[in-house]
Amino acid sequence: PGGVETLAASADGKLVAGVSREDGRIWVWETQSGKLIKESKGNLNSLRASVYFEDNNHLKVFEMSDSRLRILRIEIPTMQIEAGEWQTGGETNLRFSGQGKWLAGGSADREITEPELLVFDGQSGKFAGNIKLGENGSGAMIDERRAITVAGSGEVKLVDLSTREIKLIHDLKEGQKQLVAVSANGKIAALKTGEKEVLI
């Protein structure tokens, strides 16, 4: 009921985990059979959550409440939950980076024309920095220190969070562009265009 907010697959491909959009409960399925094998209690703090497999037996989930966030660590066999400390999180839609080192996201308000990429430590949830994305921009972390950003005008940039260096790598110009996904190894990014195409 209510659908799934976010999904993640284990490294061995045997499990998929999701968070309920309705009440924040966490589900774990076997991919081979499609069978639901684990389910947590509902948790309304975990709406707009993200989930990541730390290893084949542990999940990380972030939950939000009153502009704060914290990281939960869940042991899948027992569904026992360890909760981290609450941190200031803002009103964001956050997603774990490919290796789970970062949480990254931006404003949930789609009317904001000059958004920022907000970056949090994926272990503690502590705020690590922000990056201006330009008009109607989008972005994501691609490795331990770098982010890729795509402005609505089509400028694709790499940003080094440690040095604050910004490098223009492409200018795609025509039509609206939006970052869709980055591969776990940080080598490939997919961009959606206003013409209903995907660029790799």
Side-chain angles (χ1 to χ4, degrees):
V4 177
E5 183 73 28
T6 184
L7 286 170
S10 60
D12 62 7
K14 293 181 179 179
L15 300 174
V16 170
V19 180
S20 164
R21 183 176 286 125
E22 185 175 66
D23 65 1
R25 77 183 57 218
I26 297 149
W27 292 303
V28 182
W29 297 272
E30 285 181 337
T31 53
Q32 198 68 23
S33 65
K35 180 182 175 185
L36 179 67
I37 59 169
K38 296 289 178 181
E39 182 177 355
S40 74
K41 294 179 181 177
N43 180 1
L44 292 175
N45 287 329
S46 282
L47 299 182
R48 290 194 287 121
S50 188
V51 63
Y52 173 78
F53 275 88
E54 188 175 45
D55 55 47
N56 294 330
N57 289 307
H58 294 90
L59 288 170
K60 281 185 194 170
V61 179
F62 87 81
E63 64 178 10
M64 296 192 67
S65 176
D66 299 325
S67 298
R68 299 178 305 158
L69 67 86
R70 66 177 177 176
I71 308 291
L72 307 178
R73 189 170 182 268
I74 301 168
E75 190 176 326
I76 295 171
T78 62
M79 293 305 278
Q80 289 183 336
I81 296 176
E82 279 175 40
E85 293 182 16
W86 285 108
Q87 308 288 339
T88 301
E91 293 299 320
T92 58
N93 290 308
L94 295 173
R95 291 289 177 266
F96 282 102
S97 62
Q99 290 98 16
K101 291 179 171 57
W102 303 101
L103 281 163
S107 171
D109 182 354
R110 295 180 183 276
E111 300 302 315
I112 292 178
T113 57
E114 296 251 359
E116 295 179 313
L117 178 70
L118 304 176
V119 182
F120 301 84
D121 186 284
Q123 297 289 330
S124 65
K126 290 185 178 179
F127 184 67
N130 63 320
I131 301 166
K132 299 280 187 185
L133 294 174
E135 187 175 353
N136 298 314
S138 52
M141 296 299 299
I142 59 173
D143 58 26
E144 292 181 54
R145 70 177 200 280
R146 295 180 303 156
I148 182 171
T149 70
V150 183
S153 59
E155 290 185 345
V156 183
K157 297 177 181 178
L158 287 181
V159 180
D160 189 315
L161 252 69
S162 57
T163 65
R164 308 301 287 186
E165 181 185 0
I166 300 172
K167 181 180 178 184
L168 178 68
I169 56 173
H170 286 294
D171 191 349
L172 301 168
K173 295 191 168 117
E174 314 86 19
Q176 289 291 313
K177 309 292 188 294
Q178 181 183 10
L179 184 66
V180 177
V182 177
S183 63
N185 62 11
K187 293 183 177 179
I188 300 171
L191 283 67
K192 182 175 70 175
T193 75
E195 292 77 35
K196 299 183 180 178
E197 295 177 328
V198 174
L199 306 177
I200 306 297

